[in-house]
Amino acid sequence: MPTKRHPSLQPLSRHHHHALVLALHLIKQERSNDELRTELQHFWQNGGQEHFREEEEVLLRLREARRTGQT
């Protein structure tokens, strides 16, 4: 059963799932290099870069602040 996410995290969670699927495609190499490159470029240009920025700049900072009792 899927884990319920807070509504504000659902878009990030869906995008994260897409990134994991893409990583699996890259690992398995069941597609041509051109297809993989196109899929990766599409992901990056359509929110992938923003997704990782949000994780690094927002979520990881919040997690660290919570861990150290700064929230």
Side-chain angles (χ1 to χ4, degrees), residues 26-60:
L26 293 168
I27 291 168
K28 289 185 173 185
Q29 295 187 344
E30 296 173 337
R31 298 176 182 176
S32 73
N33 286 342
D34 287 339
E35 289 173 315
L36 291 169
R37 184 180 305 107
T38 298
E39 185 177 5
L40 182 57
Q41 286 173 334
H42 178 77
F43 170 79
W44 191 253
Q45 294 169 355
N46 291 281
Q49 185 175 14
E50 180 69 14
H51 169 85
F52 288 107
R53 185 203 62 78
E54 288 174 356
E55 280 191 348
E56 291 176 7
E57 294 180 5
V58 179
L59 292 181
L60 293 180

Side-chain angles (χ1 to χ4, degrees), residues 1-5 13:
M1 178 191 300
T3 303
K4 281 286 192 183
R5 304 273 187 253
S13 182

